Amino acid sequence: MKIVVTEAMPAQSGEASNTEANIPQVVLITGAKSQLAQALLRVAADIGELALNTIANTNISENTDASLKLYALSRSQLDITDVANIAAVFDQYRPSWVINCAAYNAVDAAEHDAIEANRVNALGPELLAQQCLLSGARLLHVSSDYVFGGQAVCGIAHAAERAVCDARESGVEQHQNLDSASNSNPNHLPRPFVELDAPEPLSTYGKSKLLGELKVVAVLGDGATIVRTSWLYGQNGHNFVNTMLNLMRTQPSLQVIADQIGCPTWSDALAQVIWQLVMQQRSGVFHYSAQGQCSWYEFASEIQRQALALNLLSQPVDIQPITSADYAKQALNRGVNLAKRPSYSVLNSGKLRSTLVTHNALLMPEHVEWQDWCQQLNCMLRRLS
């Protein structure tokens, strides 16, 4: 499989359909300026080189391998809430896959701008799904851990599935007696969420992301691909890591929330997973995050520790833990009303890992997809040093 990153420009009117033999498949990436879209482009180049090296080492003719041609489109080029614009872009590019990175991600602002949040996070994915259905393209939609409310409901109906996912996540061989798992406590348990857990979003943002998922599935059914991720950060754009580094360079002390637990995820690692799903033509709902879990306070402390070691910071600052309630009170005193966030939103990636393990050839050399969050953070910070 070869991936070619191409400048965004319309296909010629006389160009043959990409479904014909020997014609590269086209992948459209929406939200080209987002940190995930930028990561997808970076990783695509790496995967392309890996694929070419594999071809050379195995004496396989490049012409026999399918290839993907990428176009990343900004909002000015593809507004996912404009049905006419979507139809025109599909007619020009004739994609076989669409990866939707366009999103309204301002969690707090969404509380006062629900119409816009729903327009981008729900209507947009629905319109993309409808056009994909009409054209025969596949859609991979990126969603959020904030569709959950803080505690995984572990009911009898899927306790066995939960046990299987736990085994996949930990790498344990699945020789357990799953009947015993089905007799586990059906009450709320602070365990990583699996795909079968019932969403219970607390915020307008979370509700809009869940609605987007539901709209996509309503249109595409089992053919939809949805990837939920958590606490995403990367080299580009506005995210927790870049914000903390900037504050640590300019402030003598920081207060960071210590009672919200999740899992930081590097955008490049998520991008690697997404490309594997596309290349393997996978569909379904999947969870993906780095391994492990932490609080925002622990995340900030680790950012500082690693940044000091890599000389990204010249001196440490005092980082104090604070509760969500106290942080919200301080924000309210400044006239800012914060959205409710889940106290626990760790995702179990076991289903995804089991799905992708059948085709290891496309795993990147570092295998960062399945690293601990501290290791992924180190990979990202080294890119900045």
Side-chain angles (χ1 to χ4, degrees):
M1 177 69 71
K2 181 174 72 173
I3 299 180
V4 180
V5 182
T6 311
E7 290 289 334
M9 58 186 299
Q12 298 298 317
S13 58
E15 186 177 331
S17 169
N18 58 41
T19 60
E20 295 179 11
N22 300 320
I23 299 298
Q25 294 187 345
V26 172
V27 179
L28 289 185
I29 302 173
T30 70
K33 296 181 181 179
S34 68
Q35 63 179 347
L36 179 55
Q38 291 299 306
L40 284 165
L41 295 176
R42 277 194 304 272
V43 172
D46 293 337
I47 292 179
E49 289 298 320
L50 183 63
L52 290 177
N53 290 337
T54 301
I55 291 169
N57 293 334
T58 56
N59 296 318
I60 298 175
S61 169
E62 181 181 337
N63 292 330
T64 65
D65 245 41
S67 60
L68 298 178
K69 202 169 186 179
L70 311 187
Y71 298 95
L73 306 183
S74 65
R75 182 177 180 179
S76 63
Q77 296 167 309
L78 173 55
D79 181 350
I80 66 169
T81 67
D82 185 333
V83 64
N85 184 205
I86 295 172
V89 167
F90 271 63
D91 184 58
Q92 290 177 335
Y93 291 92
R94 290 177 247 177
S96 53
W97 273 89
V98 177
I99 303 175
N100 183 32
C101 298
Y104 184 108
N105 290 324
V107 177
D108 295 320
E111 295 300 308
H112 308 285
D113 199 7
I115 293 177
E116 182 65 11
N118 281 290
R119 195 173 73 90
V120 177
N121 291 342
L123 174 63
E126 180 181 29
L127 295 179
L128 285 175
Q130 289 173 348
Q131 192 63 48
C132 284
L133 184 65
L134 289 173
S135 66
R138 300 284 297 276
L139 175 63
L140 188 149
H141 176 61
V142 181
S143 191
S144 168
D145 59 325
Y146 279 17
V147 301
F148 295 111
Q151 287 186 311
V153 180
C154 184
I156 295 295
H158 69 275
E161 172 71 12
R162 201 179 253 299
V164 171
C165 287
D166 287 343
R168 290 168 179 163
E169 186 82 355
S170 63
V172 175
E173 290 294 329
Q174 298 169 25
H175 301 307
Q176 306 166 6
N177 182 353
L178 296 185
D179 289 335
S180 63
S182 66
N183 293 320
S184 61
N185 187 347
N187 297 325
H188 291 265
L189 297 174
R191 300 179 62 189
F193 288 92
V194 298
E195 291 79 359
L196 289 175
D197 282 313
E200 296 178 330
L202 302 176
S203 64
T204 298
Y205 166 77
K207 292 173 183 176
S208 72
K209 293 299 290 184
L210 177 59
L211 185 57
E213 292 184 15
L214 296 174
K215 297 281 190 181
V216 167
V217 172
V219 175
L220 297 176
D222 293 340
T225 306
I226 295 172
V227 180
R228 295 172 179 151
T229 193
S230 66
W231 295 20
L232 196 64
Y233 67 89
Q235 296 92 303
N236 309 99
H238 177 73
N239 58 68
F240 187 79
V241 174
N242 288 335
T243 296
M244 286 297 105
L245 289 175
N246 290 333
L247 290 174
M248 289 169 185
R249 292 176 181 128
T250 58
Q251 302 296 320
S253 64
L254 300 174
Q255 289 184 320
V256 183
I257 292 174
D259 59 356
Q260 292 176 18
I261 307 299
C263 187
T265 304
W266 184 28
S267 59
D268 287 44
L270 173 59
Q272 292 185 18
V273 164
I274 287 175
W275 282 127
Q276 291 175 63
L277 287 170
V278 169
M279 291 178 185
Q280 295 187 41
Q281 304 284 303
R282 300 293 184 176
S283 60
V285 178
F286 299 98
H287 288 177
Y288 176 71
S289 68
Q291 302 297 291
Q293 61 186 40
C294 65
S295 67
W296 290 112
Y297 168 75
E298 291 169 326
F299 190 18
S301 299
E302 183 65 13
I303 291 168
Q304 176 166 258
R305 187 190 72 79
Q306 293 196 23
L308 287 168
L310 293 170
N311 296 317
L312 293 171
L313 296 174
S314 59
Q315 59 184 12
V317 301
D318 182 38
I319 306 176
Q320 293 293 326
I322 188 174
T323 66
S324 299
D326 287 341
Y327 190 83
K329 288 178 183 177
Q330 292 183 9
L332 195 59
N333 290 336
R334 300 192 304 269
V336 178
N337 190 14
L338 298 180
K340 291 182 180 180
R341 289 165 168 80
S343 59
Y344 186 87
S345 61
V346 180
L347 301 177
N348 186 314
S349 305
K351 174 186 174 183
L352 179 63
R353 187 169 190 172
S354 178
T355 298
L356 296 181
V357 77
T358 58
H359 193 50
N360 287 322
L362 293 172
L363 293 175
M364 298 302 290
E366 300 89 352
H367 300 291
V368 298
E369 303 97 316
W370 312 119
Q371 286 181 346
D372 180 84
W373 67 267
C374 293
Q375 295 173 299
Q376 286 193 5
L377 175 63
N378 188 257
C379 289
M380 179 270 190
L381 291 177
R382 286 183 180 277
R383 301 282 182 95
L384 300 179
S385 63

